[in-house]
């Protein structure tokens, strides 16, 4: 668990670096000199499997899908197709440490398999193109002073992932993760939750046993009491193999002033494959999947996790 002083130092460090990013935008010096250390860390981040595994789990298998046009349907299944992704890394060095902000801009197609009503025999596919942006923070540490900058820096911690479409009426407020053998993990700010492997000053990356059940509880704040379509993707390696997918179950809806707090629950089964993966939670509003005239509304959180090789 983070010690309070570590939290404070990391928070101040993050604020200082973000302020530095904003300070770089001065029109007096629009072109910044190339920094070989920054270039090295950008390459390290771009190739890190823990960073890229998010994409492997967010992409769905959409082979054989054909688009049709329809309006007002009963949703049977929802898939995402990543058409393109733009990755950018902002990195600022402070002494022997550095903070990076990784931004991923996805141009996606949401493919909705639906039917007109419960008596319909044939299904229809609806397609909606949309853009989603997700971000995560990265922490680097200087470990060497050789002539090769790539050998001098190590990526030691990652924040969880947060993002989605520019607007949505349903937003994730918190996530709780419980499983045998671990202390429950409560998340309220994904970009503020730093996870690491073996670095004591950070919260450790959750690691589960093979074939164990991990319970995920999401709380979603919404302007409507309509149930959302909440998808969980997990378990895929960097090639997208062994991916698992399921839909969260709505447990309760509670009125809170002019809004509603909805609680959703799903059980992730770690299966029999060891390694490091991502659990990706995507909240799609009801009108996103049932009204073809409404733009996609998506709110995404994602956490890396490991499965023991035992």
């Amino acid at each position: 668990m983070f010690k309070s002083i570590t939290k404070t130092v990391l928070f101040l460090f993050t604020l200082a670096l973000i302020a530095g990013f904003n300070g770089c935008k001065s029109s007096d010096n629009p072109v910044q000199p190339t920094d070989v250390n920054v270039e090295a860390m950008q390459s390290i981040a771009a190739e890190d499997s823990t960073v890229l595994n998010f994409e492997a789990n967010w992409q769905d298998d959409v082979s054989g899908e054909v688009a049709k046009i329809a309006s007002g349907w009963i949703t049977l299944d929802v898939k995402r197709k990543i058409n393109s992704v733009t990755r950018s890394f902002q990195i600022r060095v402070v002494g022997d440490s550095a903070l990076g902000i990784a931004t991923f801009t996805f141009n996606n197609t949401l493919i909705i398999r639906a039917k007109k009503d419960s008596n319909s025999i044939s299904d229809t596919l609806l397609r909606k193109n949309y853009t989603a942006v997700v971000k995560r923070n990265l922490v680097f540490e200087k470990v060497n002073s050789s002539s090769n900058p790539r050998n001098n820096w190590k990526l030691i911690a990652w924040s969880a992932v947060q993002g989605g479409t520019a607007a949505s009426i349903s937003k994730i407020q918190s996530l709780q993760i419980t499983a045998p053998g671990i202390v429950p993990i409560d998340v309220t700010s994904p970009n503020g939750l730093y996870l690491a492997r073996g670095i004591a000053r950070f919260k450790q990356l959750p690691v589960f046993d093979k074939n164990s059940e991990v319970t995920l509880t999401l709380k979603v704040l919404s302007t409507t009491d309509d149930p959302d379509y909440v998808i969980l993707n997990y378990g895929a390696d960097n090639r997208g193999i062994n991916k698992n997918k399921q839909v969260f179950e709505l447990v309760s809806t509670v009125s809170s002033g002019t809004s509603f707090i909805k609680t959703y629950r799903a059980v992730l089964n770690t299966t029999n494959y060891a390694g490091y993966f991502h659990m990706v939670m995507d909240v799609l509003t009801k009108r996103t999947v049932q009204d073809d005239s409404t733009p996609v509304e998506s709110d995404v959180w994602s956490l890396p996790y490991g499965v023991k090789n035992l």
Side-chain angles (χ1 to χ4, degrees):
M1 182 178 295
F2 282 116
K3 294 181 179 179
S4 59
I5 188 169
T6 303
K7 285 184 177 178
T8 303
V9 172
L10 183 58
F11 175 71
L12 294 175
F13 177 58
T14 303
L15 287 183
L17 293 182
I18 292 175
F21 286 138
N22 294 331
C24 285
K25 298 177 181 178
S26 171
S27 58
D28 294 333
N29 186 20
V31 179
Q32 300 297 319
T34 301
D35 187 315
V36 293
N37 290 293
V38 169
E39 286 185 339
M41 284 182 277
Q42 287 175 337
S43 296
I44 292 170
E47 298 168 6
D48 184 84
S49 61
T50 307
V51 174
L52 296 179
N53 188 260
F54 165 79
E55 296 177 36
N57 281 277
W58 205 30
Q59 170 80 290
D60 279 317
D61 180 10
V62 294
S63 59
E65 303 283 19
V66 180
K68 298 180 181 178
I69 300 175
S71 178
W73 301 86
I74 298 173
T75 304
L76 301 177
D77 190 21
V78 176
K79 294 183 179 181
R80 289 174 302 264
K81 178 185 177 184
I82 299 175
N83 300 312
S84 65
V85 56
T86 302
R87 307 175 187 90
S88 64
F89 299 92
Q90 291 178 291
I91 295 173
R92 181 158 290 273
V93 180
V94 177
D96 290 340
S97 299
L99 178 74
I101 300 177
T103 303
F104 302 85
T105 302
F106 294 91
N107 291 311
N108 293 346
T109 299
L110 196 68
I111 303 173
I112 306 163
R113 185 167 63 88
K115 60 171 57 181
K116 186 66 176 178
D117 54 49
S118 58
N119 296 319
S120 297
I121 298 175
S122 60
D123 301 338
T124 295
L125 294 178
L126 315 177
R127 285 178 178 252
K128 293 184 176 184
N129 294 324
Y130 70 103
T131 299
V133 178
V134 301
K135 294 186 178 184
R136 77 186 320 164
N137 296 327
L138 310 170
V139 180
F140 297 84
E141 187 173 72
K142 192 171 185 180
V143 294
N144 204 346
S145 298
S146 71
S147 58
N148 184 349
R150 286 205 54 152
N151 295 334
N152 297 338
W153 294 92
K154 182 178 180 180
L155 179 57
I156 60 170
W158 316 259
S159 79
V161 177
Q162 183 174 10
T165 54
S168 177
I169 62 171
S170 293
K171 292 283 190 179
I172 302 172
Q173 298 299 295
S174 67
L175 165 68
Q176 184 179 71
I177 304 172
T178 57
I182 72 163
V183 176
I185 299 173
D186 293 295
V187 184
T188 56
S189 176
N191 288 166
L193 174 66
Y194 289 82
L195 301 169
R197 295 193 294 260
I199 308 296
R201 66 180 179 274
F202 296 105
K203 192 173 187 69
Q204 295 303 292
L205 185 78
V207 178
F208 310 113
D209 293 328
K210 289 182 178 180
N211 299 311
S212 64
E213 292 186 343
V214 181
T215 300
L216 309 178
T217 303
L218 278 180
K219 289 192 179 296
V220 175
L221 183 66
S222 180
T223 60
T224 174
D225 61 352
D226 289 335
D228 304 293
Y229 196 89
V230 186
I231 303 172
L232 170 65
N233 291 81
Y234 65 96
D237 63 17
N238 294 335
R239 299 168 296 170
I241 298 174
N242 301 321
K243 184 182 301 160
N244 293 273
K245 178 181 177 181
Q246 63 190 83
V247 177
F248 276 79
E249 176 185 357
L250 177 62
V251 176
S252 66
T253 301
V254 179
S255 176
S256 178
T258 58
S259 301
F260 297 88
I261 300 173
K262 291 173 276 191
T263 301
Y264 295 90
R265 188 164 294 137
V267 177
L268 179 158
N269 189 301
T270 59
T271 70
N272 197 42
Y273 300 99
Y276 293 98
F277 312 99
H278 268 73
M279 56 180 78
V280 182
M281 292 138 284
D282 190 352
V283 176
L284 299 166
T285 61
K286 179 180 178 180
R287 63 190 186 184
T288 292
V289 299
Q290 292 194 359
D291 182 356
D292 66 331
S293 64
T294 301
V296 172
E297 296 174 312
S298 166
D299 196 48
V300 179
W301 284 20
S302 178
L303 273 74
Y305 69 96
V307 177
K308 298 176 186 177
N309 188 18
L310 296 176

